């Protein structure tokens, strides 16, 4: 622990907590011991899966040689395969999985609904619409497509926000309006693909399935930079999530402008989702499942962002390995795997919610 910090443990509402007090700042931070353990386990699983994925493929490399190639790099061929061919995809799977996990956690906290997800509400569909307009009509390249996806996601969020947040009604109304807007945008996407020429339509449809194929180092740096900016913007806004989960009236009583805070948090959620969609296409259900699974493991009373990010990274890198090797030599888009698994999880959620009522 850094100098100037004191750490102690206490029992808070039946949960073991680590209490960190930076002496210079005069602040107190409480972190659940179980949350720390779960995050450590998830990150260990993600790291082990990453090493295994780096060694898998047409040129298999044992794990010790993968680690040697990563940190020593004295074997040229191993370094070429690990660093130049496989590592960019692995890093992007971890980063985008974390981004989707955080995006879903924000929306589920804001809507106070387990079905709050950018896939269901329509943010991902809006980002896909923006990307299709650039690909099929403007003929833009990868960076223009990424910008189109970001603008499309933000545009869809703005429309949903204007339609859903009338008279300060949120939550369930947001999800219903989002489903409707998503259905309309999906129809627009289908029309755009059908009117395009065959080659462009096939390319757009393949991208729309959600895939990490073809990602290389030129995409890594911009993605990490944007992700870092979004994460920094989220840090001061994150404490407001737990207050908003108490309800808008309680939030106002505690001095929080609920409408402003909700709008800012939704904008950040859209940013994370649009970034993932811009880079890899719409990857379904990671944002829905990751916060739920993380909350079940940590047993926290509210949805926590860091465990959701760790779970999202673990889910996406695992599903990407399945997409690459489960049907070898055929490689399928990772979105097909996440969609298949996520569809089953969505059915489970719907049944569980019905039983509670």
């Amino acid at each position: 622990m850094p100098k100037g910090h004191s750490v102690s443990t206490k029992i808070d509402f039946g949960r073991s907590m680590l209490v960190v007090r930076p002496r210079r700042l005069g602040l107190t931070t409480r972190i659940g011991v179980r949350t720390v353990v779960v995050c450590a386990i998830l990150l260990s699983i993600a790291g082990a899966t990453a090493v295994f994925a780096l060694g898998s493929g047409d040129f298999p490399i044992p794990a010790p040689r993968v680690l040697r190639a990563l940190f020593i790099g004295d074997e040229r061929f191993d370094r070429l395969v690990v660093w130049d061919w496989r590592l960019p995809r692995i890093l992007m799977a971890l980063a985008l999985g974390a981004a989707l996990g955080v995006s879903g956690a924000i929306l589920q906290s804001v809507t106070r609904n387990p079905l709050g997800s950018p896939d269901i509400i329509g943010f991902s569909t809006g980002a896909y619409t923006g990307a299709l307009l650039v690909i099929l009509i403007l003929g833009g390249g990868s960076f223009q497509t990424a910008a189109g996806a970001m603008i499309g996601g933000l545009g869809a969020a703005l429309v949903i926000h204007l339609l859903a947040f009338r008279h300060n009604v949120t939550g369930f109304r947001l999800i219903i309006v989002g489903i409707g807007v998503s259905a309309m945008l999906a129809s627009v996407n289908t029309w755009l693909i059908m009117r395009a020429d065959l080659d462009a339509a096939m390319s757009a449809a393949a991208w729309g399935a959600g895939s990490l194929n073809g990602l290389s180092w030129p995409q890594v740096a911009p993605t990490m930079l944007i992700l870092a900016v979004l994460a920094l913007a989220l840090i001061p806004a994150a404490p407001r999530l737990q207050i908003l989960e108490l309800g808008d009236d309680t939030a106002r009583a505690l001095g929080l402008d609920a409408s402003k805070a909700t709008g800012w948090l939704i904008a950040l959620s859209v940013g994370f989702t649009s970034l993932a969609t811009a880079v890899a296409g719409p990857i379904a259900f990671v944002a829905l499942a990751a916060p739920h699974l993380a909350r079940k493991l940590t047993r926290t009373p509210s949805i926590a962002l860091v465990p959701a990010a760790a779970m999202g990274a673990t889910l996406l890198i695992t599903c990407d390995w399945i997409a690459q090797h489960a049907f070898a030599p055929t490689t399928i888009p990772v979105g097909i795997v996440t969609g298949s698994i996520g569809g089953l999880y969505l059915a489970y959620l719907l049944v569980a919610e019905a039983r509670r009522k």
Side-chain angles (χ1 to χ4, degrees):
M1 179 61 60
K3 295 181 179 180
H5 292 65
S6 63
V7 181
S8 60
T9 59
K10 64 176 295 187
I11 304 298
D12 192 357
F13 294 101
R15 299 176 64 229
S16 299
M17 307 292 290
L18 291 176
V19 182
V20 182
R21 297 185 178 89
R23 293 169 184 166
R24 294 182 180 180
L25 299 179
L27 302 174
T28 300
T29 302
R30 290 179 173 87
I31 307 172
V33 174
R34 186 182 180 90
T35 299
V36 174
V37 173
V38 167
C39 288
I41 292 174
L42 288 174
L43 292 176
S44 299
I45 294 173
T49 306
V51 172
F52 182 69
L54 286 171
S56 303
D58 294 334
F59 303 99
I61 302 175
R65 284 171 51 189
V66 169
L67 296 175
R68 187 177 183 88
L70 284 173
F71 299 108
I72 300 177
D74 53 350
E75 294 290 339
R76 290 185 178 181
F77 181 75
D78 288 356
R79 182 176 177 83
L80 173 67
V81 172
V82 171
W83 275 90
D84 295 346
W85 295 355
R86 297 174 181 170
L87 186 57
R89 180 180 185 134
I90 298 301
L91 292 177
M92 296 296 267
L94 294 171
L96 299 182
L100 290 171
V102 170
S103 178
I106 293 173
L107 274 183
Q108 289 172 20
S109 293
V110 168
T111 61
R112 299 184 290 278
N113 193 302
L115 296 179
S117 170
D119 324 271
I120 295 175
I121 293 180
F123 298 164
S124 298
T125 311
Y128 185 30
T129 303
L132 283 179
L133 290 172
V134 174
I135 295 172
L136 301 178
I137 296 179
L138 302 179
S142 58
F143 288 104
Q144 290 85 353
T145 301
M150 295 288 286
I151 295 172
L154 291 172
L158 179 60
V159 171
I160 295 169
H161 186 276
L162 293 175
L163 293 174
F165 282 72
R166 301 169 69 180
H167 308 296
N168 294 321
V169 179
T170 61
F172 185 71
R173 181 188 179 101
L174 175 68
I175 294 175
I176 294 301
V177 172
I179 291 174
V181 172
S182 178
M184 290 188 291
L185 289 175
S187 299
V188 172
N189 295 344
T190 302
W191 178 77
L192 288 172
I193 293 176
M194 289 183 65
R195 70 180 296 274
D197 63 80
L198 183 59
D199 292 337
M202 290 180 62
S203 175
W207 185 85
S211 177
L212 299 174
N213 294 335
L215 295 180
S216 57
W217 284 111
Q219 286 95 3
V220 172
T223 301
M224 295 298 182
L225 178 60
I226 297 173
L227 187 60
V229 171
L230 291 172
L232 290 174
L234 180 60
I235 290 174
R240 302 172 187 174
L241 282 173
Q242 293 183 351
I243 300 177
L244 289 173
E245 287 183 358
L246 300 175
D248 291 349
D249 293 336
T250 304
R252 293 189 191 94
L254 294 174
L256 179 65
D257 187 339
S259 298
K260 184 177 180 180
T262 298
W264 176 240
L265 286 165
I266 288 178
L268 288 174
S269 176
V270 173
F272 282 109
T273 300
S274 299
L275 174 64
T277 305
V279 174
I283 299 174
F285 288 111
V286 173
L288 174 69
H292 281 284
L293 295 174
R295 186 175 183 178
K296 286 182 179 295
L297 292 175
T298 58
R299 297 179 184 174
T300 53
S302 60
I303 294 174
L305 297 178
V306 176
M311 178 61 74
T314 303
L315 285 177
L316 188 55
I317 195 170
T318 303
C319 289
D320 186 52
W321 184 90
I322 294 173
Q324 289 186 78
H325 303 288
F327 303 96
T330 302
T331 300
I332 63 175
V334 67
I336 294 178
V337 178
T338 60
S340 301
I341 298 174
L344 296 174
Y345 189 76
L346 177 60
Y348 160 76
L349 279 180
L350 293 174
V351 172
E353 287 298 307
R355 288 179 176 176
R356 289 179 184 176
K357 298 178 181 180

